[in-house]
């Protein structure tokens, strides 16, 4: 399996090859080292040795990870609190949450492309048009800026719309409405008009969907004042966050991930709503705090398995709330472990990781024993070729190495 | 996988619904009928005895052997509806009569608007407020359209429509508070002058972004339709605003969704310095309605009665027939775009003067009400003096009121301020305490 490799005497291993431009000794972890880190491509071979992909002509590079998502996260603390319950896939959990809220409140409605009869391109709204009528599950023409605007107008007049972007990347067309109107009108109207919309859709790097369909919009939206952002990662938190987002009086952007829709898990039968501002403790630990969200949670948990075998005890937190950050949970963890690794899918520049690094450094600098390490995707459009695409996403092997570096 | 699913759905719908009957309930709308038309087995040309017709998605079309391009323009421009001539005389008797009370109220509001604009413009020139934009020349559109609506109809303005607010009872003092962004501004000092908003008056807060309010109005209409309210939404925008993508998509949506919304375009000839000849090459904005399946009309925007009649009819159609209506009101922007503009730079001063005097919508309406015996010179001077006094007084009062407190920088960003904003607020307050001389005095910290 790709992730097995011997403990690396990292400084010597890296400095041996200056073709990679590695920093000679990992004393400073920020910026440069991380840039090098992800630009180097290492092959971890099944004989547990590793070698740089220098002579790629002579041996073909192995895939670094065979499934996009680890089989299951350490679910003991994360997902379910009661064993009885029902099993479903993540997209079904989203739909369940949506359906429950639509039943509970007749003002809740959905609008987006192909959400009605077609049931949504990822089936999140399947069956809802038949049940609630096509005025409440509205198929819109292709004009993201305008149907987002429509949703805002409807919200200001008393409805609670859920606006679906077929792919998060398409919401770039709605940026004007989201930033200038959605985020602002409650404020500029002096609190007179509220905009309780939920803007949701799948984003992130998928399986060869091409650059335009692999956007991480949380980077671009995070600056907009007046909106909240959350990212779901399990069926349990998907349903809980969907319900919470619908009930919130603020505009909320709910980030789903293209590759997580078919995750299966058991969720409670009883009704539950999660908090929009809380992070999720996935795996408590002592040595290092790993902060992550969405799909990267699974890469982290995969790496965690390896790390545990090697004697490390990582604390894994799925931050879930991208705006605002749950600095309470994060702070508690930092004070315990004194080391932080952020693993994200955003690009290096201006991503969630960048903001999180700044927030933690500002607030908990005295509690850190080492500079924060942030693993992100490179600042490149996502290439189509499968192998290239995989290397733009942080892989468990890199996470393991980063933790080892951090914990020296 | 996607393709076979689509075909499966086509066949499935064919099994569940009789092809020629479209049930009209919400749950099985006529959309099911249209997917049947796209059923692959009907993709054949149906030959009528005389006409050759083909059955593409979207309905049947006749086909012709001649290659005919539709001209880019009609030989004649769409005519313009007008009730009163330039001298205030009715052209015909087929218009909805307006009672004396309503007519006098309309006229008084138009005069008030005119004076308000003059005085606030002067106030900006004197440095008392930072910015203003006038509505001079468009008073008829502002007031007459509002008069034709009810209080339940929701208004989505651009920024040149304070008239409906005045009509609905927003006071001159409240206008002044907003322009001075003091603590009595119901926008809490957060927006530039003329960006009014009042939920009590069903008038949605002005945003500076052009045409973003047009889809908002469609969304509101959708909401009203879902609630089955006896009300419509109306949105105003200019000739320039009709170039924005939001305008086109909103019209399209409204037509598809059969939403009760009135789109009122104030075609005043200018978008800052861009004349309409540089804005579009179509016959104005009215012809765009048909392109989207929206009923439309062109109206003389300087004729208060024509606007009143058209908006009233449009409202009736919008609500009872559940359809959008587009009204293009032709007019002229007599003032500059705003206090940041000097329009003599791009148009002749005598053109502006001519429209200001000879084509003044207020004077024209005055002629009609005077001829009806409802108005006279004495009433005129009383009104003008009284409004002027009120305005000067409102400005004086507003000028001396405190600005909103520091908390209002941070409130209403969300429903409840999160901890990071509370922290930032504290930081600002601490800074002010430490360096009080560096901050204005009329800030309450």
């Amino acid at each position: 399996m790709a992730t097995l490799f011997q403990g690396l005497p990292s400084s010597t291993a890296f400095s041996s090859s200056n073709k990679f431009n590695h920093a000679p000794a990992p004393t400073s972890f920020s910026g440069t080292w991380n840039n090098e880190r992800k630009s180097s491509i290492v092959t971890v071979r099944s004989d547990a040795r590793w070698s740089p992909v220098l002579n790629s002509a002579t041996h073909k590079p192995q895939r670094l990870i065979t499934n996009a998502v680890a089989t299951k996260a350490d679910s003991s603390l994360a997902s379910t609190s009661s064993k009885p319950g029902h099993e479903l896939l993540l997209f079904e959990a989203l739909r369940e949450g949506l359906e429950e809220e639509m039943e509970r409140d007749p003002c809740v409605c959905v609008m987006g492309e192909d959400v009605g009869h077609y049931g949504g391109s990822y089936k999140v709204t399947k069956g809802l048009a038949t049940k609630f009528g096509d005025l409440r599950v509205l198929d819109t023409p292709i004009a993201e800026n305008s149907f987002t605007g429509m949703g805002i107008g409807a919200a200001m007049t008393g409805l609670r719309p859920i606006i679906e972007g077929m792919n998060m990347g398409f919401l770039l067309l709605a940026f004007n409405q989201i930033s200038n109107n959605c985020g602002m009108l409650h404020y500029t109207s002096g609190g007179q008009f509220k905009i309780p919309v939920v803007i949701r859709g799948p984003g992130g790097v998928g399986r060869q969907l091409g650059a335009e369909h692999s956007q991480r919009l949380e980077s671009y939206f995070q600056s907009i004042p007046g909106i909240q952002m959350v990212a779901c990662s399990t069926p349990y938190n998907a349903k809980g966050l969907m319900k919470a987002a619908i009930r919130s009086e603020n505009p909320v952007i709910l980030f789903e991930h293209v590759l997580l829709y078919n995750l299966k898990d058991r969720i409670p039968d009883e009704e539950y709503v999660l908090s929009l501002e809380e992070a999720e403790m996935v795996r408590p630990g002592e040595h290092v705090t790993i902060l992550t969200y969405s799909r990267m949670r699974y890469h982290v948990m995969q790496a965690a398995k390896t790390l545990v075998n090697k004697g490390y005890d990582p604390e894994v937190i799925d931050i879930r709330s991208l705006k605002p950050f749950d600095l309470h949970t994060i702070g508690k963890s930092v004070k315990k472990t004194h080391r932080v690794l952020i693993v994200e899918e955003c690009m290096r520049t201006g991503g969630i990781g960048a903001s999180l690094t700044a927030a933690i450094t500002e607030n908990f600098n005295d509690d850190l024993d080492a500079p924060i390490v942030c693993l992100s995707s490179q600042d490149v459009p996502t290439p189509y070729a499968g192998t290239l695409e995989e290397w733009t996403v942080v892989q468990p092997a890199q996470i393991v190495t980063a933790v080892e570096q951090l914990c020296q | 996988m996607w393709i076979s699913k689509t075909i499966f759905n086509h066949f499935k719908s064919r099994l569940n619904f009789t092809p020629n009957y479209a049930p009209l309930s919400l749950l099985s709308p006529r959309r099911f009928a249209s997917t049947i038309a796209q059923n692959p087995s009907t993709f054949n040309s149906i030959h009528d005895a005389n006409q050759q017709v083909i059955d593409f998605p979207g309905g049947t079309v006749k086909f012709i052997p001649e290659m005919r391009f539709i001209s880019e323009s009609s030989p004649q421009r769409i005519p313009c509806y007008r009730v009163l001539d330039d001298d205030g005389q009715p052209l015909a008797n087929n218009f909805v009569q307006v009672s004396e009370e309503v007519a006098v109220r309309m006229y008084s509001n138009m005069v008030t608007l005119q004076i308000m604009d003059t005085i606030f413009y002067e106030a900006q020139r004197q440095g008392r407020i930072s910015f203003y934009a006038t509505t001079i020349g468009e008073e008829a559109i502002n007031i007459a359209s509002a008069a034709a609506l009810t209080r339940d109809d929701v208004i989505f303005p651009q920024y040149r429509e304070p008239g409906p607010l005045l009509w609905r009872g927003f006071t001159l003092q409240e206008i002044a508070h907003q322009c001075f962004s003091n603590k009595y501004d119901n926008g809490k000092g957060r927006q530039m002058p003329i960006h009014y908003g009042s939920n009590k008056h069903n008038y949605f807060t002005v945003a500076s972004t052009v045409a973003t309010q047009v889809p908002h109005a469609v969304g509101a209409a959708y909401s009203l339709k879902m609630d089955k309210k006896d009300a419509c939404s109306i949105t105003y925008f200019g000739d320039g605003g009709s170039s924005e993508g939001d305008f086109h998509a909103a019209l399209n949506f409204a037509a598809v969704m059969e939403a009760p919304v009135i789109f009122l375009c104030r075609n005043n000839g200018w978008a800052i310095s861009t004349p309409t000849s540089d804005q579009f090459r179509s016959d104005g904005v009215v012809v765009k309605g048909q392109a989207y399946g929206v009923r439309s009309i062109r109206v003389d925007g300087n004729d208060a009665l024509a606007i009143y009649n058209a908006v009233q009819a449009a409202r009736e159609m919008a609500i009872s027939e559940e359809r959008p209506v587009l009204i293009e009101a032709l007019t002229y922007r007599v003032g500059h775009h705003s206090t940041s503009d000097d329009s003599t730079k791009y148009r002749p001063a005598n053109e502006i003067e001519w429209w200001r005097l000879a084509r003044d919508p207020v004077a024209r309406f005055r002629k009609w009400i005077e001829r009806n015996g409802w108005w006279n010179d004495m009433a005129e001077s009383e009104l003008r003096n009284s409004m002027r006094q009120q305005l000067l007084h409102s400005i004086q009062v507003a000028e001396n009121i405190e600005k909103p407190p520091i908390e209002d920088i941070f409130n209403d960003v969300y429903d409840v301020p999160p901890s990071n904003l509370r922290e930032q607020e504290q930081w600002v307050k601490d800074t002010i305490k430490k360096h009080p001389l560096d901050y204005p005095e009329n800030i309450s910290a």
Side-chain angles (χ1 to χ4, degrees):
Chain A
M1 194 46 215
T3 52
L4 284 178
F5 54 95
Q6 309 276 9
L8 303 165
S10 40
S11 47
T12 55
F14 282 142
S15 57
S16 63
S17 159
N18 28 3
K19 291 207 166 71
F20 287 152
N21 259 347
H22 284 300
T27 45
S28 87
F29 288 90
S30 51
T32 46
W33 186 82
N34 284 313
N35 271 323
E36 273 80 82
R37 186 87 204 85
K38 56 178 167 40
S39 62
S40 73
I41 295 161
V42 297
T43 311
V44 181
R45 297 158 72 189
S46 47
D47 58 16
R49 284 189 303 120
W50 70 280
S51 53
V53 179
L54 198 48
N55 340 326
S56 52
T58 54
H59 64 254
K60 70 170 166 61
Q62 274 184 302
R63 304 183 88 202
L64 297 174
I65 178 167
T66 53
N67 4 309
V69 172
T71 42
K72 210 158 184 232
D74 274 358
S75 57
S76 44
L77 291 134
S79 318
T80 59
S81 44
S82 48
K83 252 315 152 184
H86 53 288
E87 262 198 343
L88 41 49
L89 305 178
L90 196 145
F91 78 87
E92 290 169 337
L94 286 167
R95 193 200 320 144
E96 214 175 76
L98 189 41
E99 194 170 343
E100 280 174 19
E101 290 304 298
M102 287 181 80
E103 269 167 6
R104 175 180 176 267
D105 182 354
C107 292
V108 177
C109 57
V110 181
M111 49 184 81
E113 293 156 17
D114 299 307
V115 295
H117 289 229
Y118 193 67
S121 19
Y122 292 94
K123 297 177 281 190
V124 174
T125 50
K126 187 157 183 217
L128 296 182
T130 322
K131 182 169 178 186
F132 294 107
D134 59 357
L135 210 47
R136 277 184 81 187
V137 185
L138 192 65
D139 277 334
T140 62
I142 305 177
E144 282 76 8
N145 203 26
S146 310
F147 67 69
T148 306
M150 250 195 70
I152 292 169
M156 290 200 286
T157 12
L159 290 185
R160 304 186 81 93
I162 290 123
I163 299 164
E164 172 172 315
M166 190 185 279
N167 183 284
M168 266 289 168
F170 305 169
L171 291 181
L172 286 170
L173 289 153
F175 213 116
N176 187 22
Q177 289 283 356
I178 294 175
S179 169
N180 277 324
N181 292 333
C182 184
M184 270 190 210
L185 278 167
H186 184 247
Y187 184 75
T188 56
S189 69
Q192 293 185 86
F193 301 105
K194 60 179 183 150
I195 307 177
V197 296
V198 176
I199 297 173
R200 50 160 290 270
V205 177
R207 276 255 160 275
Q208 296 187 274
L209 295 177
E212 301 95 326
H213 293 76
S214 311
Q215 300 266 35
R216 279 77 82 198
L217 249 56
E218 55 270 26
S219 309
Y220 308 143
F221 286 147
Q222 62 176 321
S223 240
I224 301 174
I227 55 150
Q228 275 188 271
M229 305 197 313
V230 287
C232 62
S233 52
T234 65
Y236 179 75
N237 64 32
K239 179 176 173 183
L241 289 175
M242 170 73 94
K243 288 169 73 90
I246 295 172
R247 294 189 194 188
S248 166
E249 297 298 304
N250 298 313
V252 178
I253 306 186
L254 170 58
F255 290 90
E256 302 154 12
H257 197 286
V258 272
L259 294 178
L260 298 185
Y261 280 125
N262 289 324
L263 266 186
K264 186 188 279 207
D265 204 353
R266 187 165 218 95
I267 66 168
D269 290 326
E270 315 86 63
E271 197 186 20
Y272 66 95
V273 179
L274 294 175
S275 164
L276 288 174
E277 291 103 25
E278 266 174 27
E280 190 177 313
M281 178 66 70
V282 185
R283 180 191 190 284
E286 298 288 325
H287 291 166
V288 60
T289 299
I290 307 183
L291 302 172
T292 182
Y293 67 94
S294 194
R295 177 193 173 200
M296 288 296 109
R297 167 189 174 135
Y298 296 93
H299 283 208
V300 168
M301 289 314 292
Q302 182 119 358
K305 272 197 219 143
T306 312
L307 287 167
V308 164
N309 287 340
K310 285 158 165 275
Y312 292 95
D313 188 22
E315 174 151 296
V316 178
I317 295 178
D318 180 340
I319 61 174
R320 260 177 20 192
S321 174
L322 306 180
K323 183 179 168 91
F325 294 131
D326 179 2
L327 289 177
H328 177 75
T329 308
I330 295 173
K332 250 175 51 186
S333 180
V334 172
K335 286 183 209 275
K336 182 165 64 161
T337 66
H338 311 294
R339 288 164 212 281
V340 178
L341 170 66
I342 301 172
V343 179
E344 60 165 356
E345 211 176 304
C346 283
M347 307 206 220
R348 186 96 196 113
T349 306
I352 296 291
S355 303
L356 193 49
T357 305
I360 299 174
T361 313
E362 253 177 28
N363 288 290
F364 308 115
N365 196 36
D366 289 337
D367 299 301
L368 291 170
D369 284 349
I372 301 174
V373 175
C374 181
L375 298 181
S376 341
S377 294
Q378 306 87 335
D379 288 320
V380 298
T382 308
Y384 167 80
T387 43
L388 298 183
E389 179 185 73
E390 284 206 343
W391 288 327
T392 63
V393 170
V394 177
Q395 300 294 340
Q398 292 163 287
I399 301 172
V400 173
T401 317
V403 169
E404 291 178 330
Q405 289 280 355
L406 200 40
C407 288
Q408 275 187 327
Chain B
M1 193 194 24
W2 277 36
I3 299 168
S4 57
K5 245 194 178 154
T6 327
I7 292 180
F8 173 70
N9 281 335
H10 283 320
F11 284 117
K12 200 160 105 129
S13 60
R14 201 168 160 233
L15 290 169
N16 291 337
F17 296 86
T18 348
N20 295 322
Y21 167 67
L24 288 172
S25 65
L26 273 183
L27 292 182
S28 30
R30 63 188 82 90
R31 269 192 286 172
F32 280 112
S34 74
T35 55
I36 293 161
Q38 292 161 56
N39 186 302
S41 71
T42 63
F43 276 170
N44 304 313
S45 38
I46 301 159
H47 288 277
D48 192 273
N50 301 316
Q51 285 288 353
Q52 307 222 286
V53 145
I54 195 154
D55 183 12
F56 278 116
T60 54
V61 284
K62 294 195 193 116
F63 55 87
I64 48 169
E66 295 89 40
M67 181 172 65
R68 258 184 242 156
F69 283 85
I70 304 174
S71 172
E72 69 279 7
S73 61
S74 296
Q76 283 205 327
R77 293 192 63 187
I78 302 285
C80 183
Y81 171 60
R82 155 190 265 217
V83 171
L84 298 175
D85 66 12
D86 280 332
D87 208 33
Q89 294 269 28
L91 294 165
N93 275 330
N94 59 352
F95 60 95
V96 172
Q97 275 292 354
V98 170
S99 69
E100 175 181 349
E101 191 194 331
V102 173
V104 168
R105 187 173 160 211
M106 272 169 64
Y107 181 72
S108 313
N109 273 278
M110 284 164 73
V111 169
T112 306
L113 181 51
Q114 216 178 40
I115 301 179
M116 176 181 109
D117 274 349
T118 317
I119 292 189
F120 275 100
Y121 189 87
E122 282 169 20
Q124 193 277 344
R125 282 299 182 239
Q126 292 165 13
R128 293 161 90 180
I129 53 175
S130 67
F131 175 83
Y132 195 74
T134 63
T135 310
I136 310 274
E138 301 179 48
E139 296 89 348
I141 296 175
N142 264 251
I143 301 295
S145 61
L149 300 168
T150 71
R151 281 296 290 258
D152 291 330
D153 300 318
V154 291
I155 299 180
F156 287 85
Q158 178 69 80
Y159 47 65
R160 219 179 285 285
E161 306 92 13
L165 258 186
L166 290 179
W167 177 265
R168 287 183 174 185
F170 202 67
T171 64
L172 294 173
Q173 188 63 70
E174 288 175 290
I175 297 262
H177 287 323
Q178 198 283 331
C179 288
F180 281 90
S181 14
N182 63 34
K183 71 178 185 194
Y184 292 138
D185 169 25
N186 61 359
K188 298 184 191 164
R190 290 164 184 160
Q191 259 294 13
M192 293 174 74
I194 70 150
H195 288 60
Y196 317 106
S198 173
N199 55 1
K200 266 187 5 218
H201 299 94
N202 269 333
Y203 186 96
F204 283 76
T205 306
V206 175
S208 314
T209 45
V210 174
T212 50
Q213 73 280 5
V214 188
H216 293 177
V218 179
Y222 163 72
S223 169
L224 293 172
K225 178 172 158 160
M226 257 180 58
D227 289 343
K228 296 190 174 55
K229 287 218 179 102
D230 177 22
C232 67
S233 68
I234 183 171
T235 179
Y236 300 82
F237 49 91
D239 38 291
S242 77
S243 291
E244 279 284 351
D246 273 348
F247 163 80
H248 299 271
L251 253 69
N252 191 33
F253 275 50
V256 169
M257 264 184 296
E258 296 164 5
V261 51
I262 301 175
F263 296 106
L264 208 160
C265 176
R266 295 175 294 96
N267 182 346
N268 61 19
W270 297 93
I272 308 189
S273 68
T274 308
T276 48
S277 53
D278 286 342
Q279 193 68 249
F280 38 67
R281 286 300 162 89
S282 53
D283 172 17
V285 175
V286 66
V287 291
K288 296 180 193 193
Q290 194 175 53
Y292 296 111
V294 174
R295 193 171 290 175
S296 41
I297 187 172
R298 169 172 277 160
V299 179
D300 177 351
N302 288 4
D303 179 344
L305 286 183
I307 294 278
Y308 182 87
N309 274 258
V311 172
Q312 199 180 62
R315 180 182 184 275
E316 182 58 38
M317 276 180 229
I319 298 175
S320 63
E321 295 175 47
E322 280 183 345
R323 62 165 64 249
V325 181
L326 169 64
I327 300 177
E328 178 185 22
L330 297 181
T331 180
Y332 188 86
R333 190 195 79 208
V334 171
H336 307 301
H337 168 72
S338 72
T339 47
S340 313
D341 172 47
D342 173 13
S343 60
T344 55
K345 286 204 178 94
Y346 48 82
R347 55 185 186 172
N350 54 13
E351 174 187 304
I352 306 172
E353 272 311 286
W354 184 74
W355 278 93
R356 195 172 72 81
L357 296 170
R359 307 289 293 271
D360 179 16
V362 184
R364 185 163 156 201
F365 194 55
R366 178 182 169 179
K367 289 191 184 130
W368 186 71
I369 57 171
E370 275 184 342
R371 218 171 271 122
N372 283 341
W374 300 337
W375 196 254
N376 54 44
D377 283 342
M378 201 165 72
E380 178 81 11
S381 56
E382 255 175 48
L383 175 66
R384 286 196 180 258
N385 279 330
S386 153
M387 283 304 119
R388 203 179 158 79
Q389 290 311 315
Q390 259 188 54
L391 276 156
L392 291 172
H393 177 75
S394 306
I395 290 184
Q396 218 175 349
V397 168
E399 207 168 22
N400 289 312
I401 292 185
E402 268 190 332
K403 299 303 178 202
I406 298 284
E407 290 83 60
D408 280 347
I409 298 176
F410 301 96
N411 289 336
D412 299 325
V413 180
Y414 297 98
D415 55 349
V416 171
S419 58
N420 64 326
L421 287 187
R422 281 268 163 260
E423 259 175 48
Q424 291 170 14
E425 182 187 334
Q426 197 51 51
W427 186 84
V428 170
K429 286 183 166 169
D430 290 342
T431 312
I432 295 178
K433 269 205 196 81
K434 271 199 211 116
H435 311 276
L437 299 176
D438 289 340
Y439 288 86
E441 274 167 17
N442 57 349
I443 284 187
S444 45

